[in-house]
């Protein structure tokens, strides 16, 4: 009944830590008025750190790296869209996201052959 302790913690524990740190940092920055509060930008504080963490997790995880890689790219792009929607057209970021997902899919297919 004892489980192997090969991995100190799973994806969920690390993701929760990254999310809490990011939201805490956002609260401090918005609390002392370094940048003005915008509810859409709050999504960037959630999705960019989680996306980057998921990307790193994909590279160091031997189980389902393509799954974590795709979701890391998706979350990072959602965060980038919410952070830069006034400057960069969201469809541009969406197009880049689709191209990256297609390249990941092709690479995973070629690697599996």
């Amino acid at each position: 009944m004892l489980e192997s302790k090969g991995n100190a913690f799973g994806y969920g524990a690390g993701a929760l830590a990254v999310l809490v740190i990011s939201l805490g940092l956002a609260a401090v920055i918005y609390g002392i008025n370094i940048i003005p509060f915008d509810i859409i930008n709050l999504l960037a504080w959630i999705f960019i750190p989680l996306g980057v963490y998921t990307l790193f997790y994909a590279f160091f995880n031997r189980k389902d790296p393509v799954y974590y890689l795709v979701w890391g790219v998706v979350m990072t792009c959602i965060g980038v869209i919410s952070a830069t929607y006034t400057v960069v057209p969201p469809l541009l970021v969406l197009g880049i996201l689709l191209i990256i997902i297609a390249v990941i899919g092709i690479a995973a297919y070629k690697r599996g052959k």
Side-chain angles (χ1 to χ4, degrees):
M1 288 260 166
L2 294 174
E3 293 183 22
S4 172
K5 298 274 184 179
N7 192 358
F9 55 89
Y11 173 80
L16 182 62
V18 167
L19 181 63
V20 170
I21 290 169
S22 176
L23 290 177
L25 185 60
V28 168
I29 288 175
Y30 288 137
I32 57 178
N33 290 325
I34 292 177
I35 57 175
F37 180 74
D38 184 5
I39 193 74
I40 302 282
N41 288 343
L42 191 59
L43 293 174
W45 288 98
I46 295 170
F47 284 110
I48 291 176
L50 276 177
V52 171
Y53 171 75
T54 305
L55 287 171
F56 278 113
Y57 190 81
F59 289 117
F60 296 111
N61 181 25
R62 294 289 173 213
K63 184 181 176 190
D64 299 329
V66 174
Y67 173 81
Y68 289 107
L69 189 61
V70 169
W71 278 111
V73 170
V74 168
M75 286 190 283
T76 303
C77 284
I78 290 171
V80 168
I81 287 172
S82 65
T84 63
Y85 71 97
T86 58
V87 182
V88 179
L91 284 177
L92 175 66
V93 179
L94 180 64
I96 293 170
L97 168 67
L98 293 174
I99 292 168
I100 291 171
I101 289 175
V103 169
I104 291 170
I106 291 168
Y109 176 75
K110 292 286 186 181
R111 187 175 147 195
K113 277 185 133 183

